[in-house]
Amino acid sequence: MVTQDLALAQKASSGDQDAFAKIYESNYKAIYYHVSRIVGDRGDAEDMTQEVFLRAYQFMGSYSGDASLNRWLRRVATNLCIDKMRKRTVATAAWPTMAS
């Protein structure tokens, strides 16, 4: 399985659109489910899942085949979600001052 994943990833990284379409179609639901469990919101999960596949397309050449392609994509998804959560700003209120 991993050797098939590696061959497919190598084709996709060299520009084979059909190979990337196969990767997308066979992994979209699992990655969406993974992301939705992290972010909790359906709309955000859909957006983040698309970002995962954009990032995967950019860095497909870095897939080494040490683990399954789905596992690699889940790691990409997790890292992307962590990055997005870090960038969110939390609304804070100023501490009241004591007048003496």
Side-chain angles (χ1 to χ4, degrees):
M1 177 75 168
V2 174
T3 54
Q4 291 173 340
D5 287 347
L6 184 59
L8 198 58
Q10 288 173 340
K11 287 180 183 179
S13 70
S14 65
D16 186 334
Q17 296 295 318
D18 292 333
F20 189 77
K22 287 179 186 176
I23 292 169
Y24 180 86
E25 291 167 6
S26 62
N27 291 285
Y28 180 85
K29 287 182 183 180
I31 299 304
Y32 171 77
Y33 179 72
H34 178 72
V35 170
S36 66
R37 290 186 63 203
I38 296 171
V39 299
D41 180 70
R42 281 182 111 172
D44 288 344
E46 289 173 7
D47 292 343
M48 293 292 293
T49 302
Q50 292 301 317
E51 287 186 50
V52 167
F53 283 99
L54 286 172
R55 178 88 43 101
Y57 185 78
Q58 292 171 330
F59 296 103
M60 191 62 67
S62 70
Y63 173 67
S64 63
D66 292 336
S68 71
L69 188 55
N70 183 272
R71 187 177 188 117
W72 183 79
L73 288 167
R74 281 187 285 139
R75 175 50 53 196
V76 170
T78 300
N79 290 341
L80 189 62
C81 289
I82 289 169
D83 289 347
K84 291 290 183 182
M85 285 187 233
R86 283 182 183 152
K87 291 178 183 177
R88 286 186 181 166
T89 56
V90 177
T92 57
W95 287 94
T97 57
M98 301 289 286
S100 32

